[in-house]
Amino acid sequence: MLGQSVHKIIHSQNPDGTPLAESDCGVLGVLRHGNVYKTDDEVFARKDGSLIPVSYISTAIMEGGKTTAAVTSFQDISQRKQAERDLLESRKQLRELSSYLQTVREEERTRIARELHDELGQMLTAVKLDAMWLTTRLSGQQPGLQTRLLPCPADR
């Protein structure tokens, strides 16, 4: 590792997998400028080349006004990233479920309305026909009952 760039060894990619320019490398910036750099969402490369999501802080070690080294403390945030992905997936599933439930409700309302309309319409027609039949059978008998059986003027 002696003589090789820290950037090329452990920190050459952005979290989305695109190349990270050396000018954007926080650790190199600390070594060059003697400052402190902190981030909550970057990636480092493992020895095998696979990426590991990290949060880290890098602090310069100064001797005689010059940066001689940097101490970098990082934390593997793989579990946090997985939890974030799981949360996003869960939210997506909840949105889909909510949409499905709304569709089911609307379909059920439509079905009930159609059923009520069809059945109630048939029943009312049957009752009207029965009332008219009774009216013809009771002509002259019990005038009060016959008046109650006559359809209202709007139905005649």
Side-chain angles (χ1 to χ4, degrees):
M1 289 178 49
L2 287 175
Q4 293 186 28
S5 168
V6 170
H7 176 70
K8 289 181 182 173
I9 295 173
I10 63 165
H11 194 219
S12 61
Q13 291 189 26
N14 286 305
D16 64 2
T18 59
L20 177 69
E22 283 191 19
S23 59
D24 295 332
C25 180
V27 177
L28 284 179
V30 168
L31 289 170
R32 289 182 182 144
H33 307 295
N35 56 355
V36 175
Y37 182 80
K38 182 177 190 260
T39 183
D40 291 324
D41 190 19
E42 289 203 24
V43 292
F44 282 172
R46 291 186 177 103
K47 188 176 182 179
D48 65 3
S50 64
L51 299 178
I52 177 174
V54 296
S55 66
Y56 73 92
I57 185 166
S58 187
T59 307
I61 297 176
M62 308 292 286
E63 287 184 14
K66 294 175 89 177
T67 304
T68 57
V71 174
T72 302
S73 175
F74 70 94
Q75 179 179 11
D76 179 347
I77 58 172
S78 299
Q79 288 181 339
R80 184 185 89 192
K81 290 294 188 179
Q82 183 60 47
E84 288 172 0
R85 286 189 295 273
D86 292 347
L87 182 61
L88 288 174
E89 179 61 26
S90 175
R91 285 181 179 165
K92 177 184 171 202
Q93 289 175 351
L94 284 173
R95 280 191 304 272
E96 290 171 355
L97 179 60
S98 177
S99 176
Y100 173 74
L101 287 174
Q102 185 65 28
T103 301
V104 168
R105 278 189 203 115
E106 291 301 320
E107 289 172 356
E108 185 65 8
R109 285 180 185 143
T110 302
R111 185 191 65 76
I112 290 171
R114 190 176 303 118
E115 203 171 291
L116 281 174
H117 176 267
D118 293 349
E119 286 184 26
L120 188 59
Q122 288 175 1
M123 280 189 239
L124 288 174
T125 301
V127 167
K128 188 175 179 181
L129 290 171
D130 287 345
M132 288 171 36
W133 180 82
L134 280 173
T135 302
T136 59
R137 297 286 184 260
L138 294 174
S139 59
Q141 306 169 6
Q142 302 178 350
L145 185 59
Q146 188 176 9
T147 310
R148 291 196 52 116
L149 288 174
L150 287 174
C152 64
D155 291 340
R156 290 182 196 171

